[in-house]
């Protein structure tokens, strides 16, 4: 375990970085980033900054004016921040969403997206032919982009709202034309059901929905699994199940998948790795202490 670093005293020369969201009080990013900043010896402080949607534009202007060094962006601002950025990376433009804003030399903000890098970090050794994505919201776009980069041959996307699912596939058509839609409107475990068949054949299943989240999500969905036990039982033990949720640890979905013998991954590593990638962009440092960030997040979460 890495030795915790003492946080530097905040003074007149301390620079600011932070995360914009609404709500944002539950964010682990301040714990992670401040641990990294202390380890790097940077005289910065990273804060959670609650911002209402109506105030986002003026807040970004104000933070640029006070020389904020960099920003993360979380719900519900990822798409709005992309529209407000003065420049977008090709990936951010493709996704239509940013989670990281970087100061430009000529002024304004460069919008980029490190969620894809974070998502892929624990999957670099995975050889997946077929993947099933549960959900068709903003997080699913980053997941699909990562799966395309990973070289997955067949990607199915399951959505409960057929209109949203259709819009999702259309928005990805230019860079992920082979996506297959699946209706997610039943709890059937019959192999004749398309979703059940997809579960049985999947090498990788990724939950991007908020079902099961213990904090910051729908209270009615907390502690639930997006898949029934009967559906999880269709998975092959060689499959990997990746839940972007990390509270509680493990989620109900990952508990079920673990009893099936599947490899399980929660969203904490994605959170840590996307944060580390953001800090590299802001600071220009390649030696960002990922271990210190992970340990700070785990300490904040507490025991499982």
């Amino acid at each position: 375990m890495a030795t915790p670093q003492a946080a530097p005293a905040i003074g007149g020369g301390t620079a600011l970085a932070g995360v914009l969201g609404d709500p944002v009080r539950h964010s682990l990013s301040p714990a992670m980033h401040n641990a990294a900043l202390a380890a790097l010896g940077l005289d910065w402080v990273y804060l959670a900054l609650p911002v209402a949607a109506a105030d986002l534009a003026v807040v970004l202007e104000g933070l640029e004016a006070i020389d904020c060094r960099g920003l993360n962006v979380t719900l519900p601002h990822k798409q709005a921040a992309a529209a407000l950025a003065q420049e977008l990376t090709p990936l951010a433009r493709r996704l239509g969403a940013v989670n990281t804003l970087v100061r430009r030399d000529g002024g304004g903000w460069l919008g980029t997206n490190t969620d894809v890098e974070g998502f892929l970090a624990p999957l670099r050794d995975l050889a997946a032919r077929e993947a099933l994505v549960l959900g068709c919201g903003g997080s699913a776009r980053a997941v699909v982009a990562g799966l395309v980069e990973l070289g997955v041959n067949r990607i199915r996307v399951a959505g409960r709202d057929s209109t949203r699912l259709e819009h999702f596939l259309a928005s990805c058509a230019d860079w992920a034309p082979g996506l297959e839609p699946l209706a997610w409107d039943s709890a059937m475990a019959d192999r004749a059901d398309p979703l059940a068949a997809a579960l049985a054949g999947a090498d990788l299943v990724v939950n991007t929905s908020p079902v099961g989240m213990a904090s910051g999500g729908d209270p009615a969905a907390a502690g639930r699994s997006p898949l029934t036990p009967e559906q999880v039982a269709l998975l092959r033990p060689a499959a990997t199940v990746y839940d972007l949720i990390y509270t509680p640890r493990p989620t109900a979905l990952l508990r079920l998948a673990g009893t099936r013998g599947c490899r399980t991954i929660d969203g904490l590593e994605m959170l840590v790795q996307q944060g580390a990638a953001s800090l590299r962009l802001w600071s220009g440092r390649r030696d960002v202490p990922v271990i210190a960030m992970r340990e700070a997040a785990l300490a904040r979460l507490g025991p499982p």
Side-chain angles (χ1 to χ4, degrees), residues 3 37 71 75 82 106 110 112 123 135 150 164 184 188 228 237:
T3 302
L37 294 171
L71 293 165
L75 296 175
L110 167 69
T112 187
L123 294 178
L150 199 62
R164 285 189 66 197
W184 189 11
M188 291 178 62
T228 67

Coordinates of all heavy atoms in Angstrom, one line a residue, residues 3 37 71 75 82 106 110 112 123 135 150 164 184 188 228 237:
T3 N 2.3 4.9 0.7 CA 2.2 5.8 1.9 C 1.5 7.1 1.6 O 1.8 7.8 0.6 CB 3.7 6.1 2.3 OG1 4.4 5.0 2.5 CG2 3.7 7.0 3.6
L37 N -2.6 14.9 -6.3 CA -1.9 16.2 -6.3 C -0.9 16.3 -5.2 O 0.2 16.8 -5.4 CB -2.9 17.3 -6.2 CG -3.9 17.5 -7.4 CD1 -5.0 18.4 -7.0 CD2 -3.1 17.9 -8.6
L71 N -11.0 20.8 -15.6 CA -12.3 20.4 -15.0 C -12.7 19.0 -15.5 O -12.4 18.7 -16.7 CB -13.3 21.4 -15.5 CG -13.2 22.8 -14.9 CD1 -14.1 23.8 -15.7 CD2 -13.6 22.8 -13.4
L75 N -22.7 14.2 -14.8 CA -24.1 14.4 -15.1 C -24.6 15.6 -14.3 O -24.2 15.9 -13.2 CB -24.9 13.1 -14.6 CG -24.6 11.9 -15.4 CD1 -25.3 10.7 -14.8 CD2 -24.9 12.0 -16.9
A82 N -19.9 19.9 -24.0 CA -19.4 19.8 -25.4 C -19.8 20.9 -26.3 O -19.1 21.4 -27.1 CB -19.9 18.4 -25.9
G106 N -4.7 29.4 -26.4 CA -5.3 30.6 -27.0 C -6.6 31.1 -26.3 O -7.3 32.0 -26.7
L110 N -10.8 23.2 -24.2 CA -10.8 22.0 -25.1 C -11.5 20.9 -24.4 O -11.2 20.6 -23.3 CB -9.3 21.6 -25.4 CG -9.2 20.2 -26.0 CD1 -9.7 20.2 -27.5 CD2 -7.7 19.7 -26.0
T112 N -12.7 17.0 -24.1 CA -12.3 15.7 -24.5 C -13.0 14.7 -23.7 O -13.8 15.1 -22.8 CB -10.7 15.5 -24.4 OG1 -10.4 14.2 -25.0 CG2 -10.3 15.6 -23.0
L123 N -9.8 -4.0 -19.4 CA -10.2 -4.9 -20.5 C -9.1 -5.2 -21.5 O -9.3 -5.8 -22.5 CB -11.4 -4.4 -21.2 CG -12.7 -4.3 -20.4 CD1 -13.8 -3.7 -21.3 CD2 -13.1 -5.7 -19.9
G135 N -28.5 -0.8 -21.7 CA -28.7 0.6 -21.6 C -28.3 1.3 -22.8 O -27.4 0.9 -23.5
L150 N -11.6 -1.8 -29.0 CA -11.2 -3.2 -28.6 C -11.2 -4.2 -29.7 O -10.6 -5.3 -29.6 CB -12.0 -3.6 -27.4 CG -11.4 -4.7 -26.5 CD1 -10.1 -4.3 -25.8 CD2 -12.5 -5.0 -25.4
R164 N -35.7 5.8 -27.7 CA -34.3 6.2 -27.2 C -33.3 5.2 -27.9 O -32.2 5.7 -28.3 CB -34.2 6.1 -25.7 CG -34.8 7.3 -25.0 CD -34.5 7.3 -23.5 NE -33.0 7.5 -23.4 CZ -32.4 7.3 -22.3 NH1 -33.0 6.7 -21.2 NH2 -31.1 7.6 -22.2
W184 N -35.5 -4.7 -24.4 CA -35.2 -5.1 -23.0 C -36.5 -4.8 -22.3 O -36.6 -3.9 -21.4 CB -34.0 -4.2 -22.5 CG -33.5 -4.7 -21.2 CD1 -33.8 -5.8 -20.5 CD2 -32.6 -3.9 -20.4 NE1 -33.1 -5.9 -19.3 CE2 -32.3 -4.7 -19.2 CE3 -31.9 -2.7 -20.5 CZ2 -31.5 -4.3 -18.2 CZ3 -31.1 -2.3 -19.5 CH2 -30.8 -3.1 -18.4
M188 N -37.7 -12.6 -19.6 CA -37.7 -13.9 -20.1 C -36.3 -14.5 -20.0 O -35.3 -13.8 -20.2 CB -38.2 -14.0 -21.5 CG -39.7 -13.6 -21.7 SD -40.2 -13.6 -23.5 CE -39.8 -15.3 -23.9
T228 N -32.3 -10.5 -14.2 CA -32.9 -11.5 -13.2 C -31.9 -12.6 -13.0 O -31.0 -12.9 -13.8 CB -34.2 -12.0 -13.7 OG1 -33.9 -12.9 -14.9 CG2 -35.2 -10.9 -14.1
P237 N -19.8 -19.4 -17.9 CA -18.8 -19.0 -16.8 C -17.6 -18.3 -17.4 O -16.9 -17.6 -16.6 CB -18.5 -20.4 -16.2 CG -19.7 -21.2 -16.5 CD -20.2 -20.8 -17.9

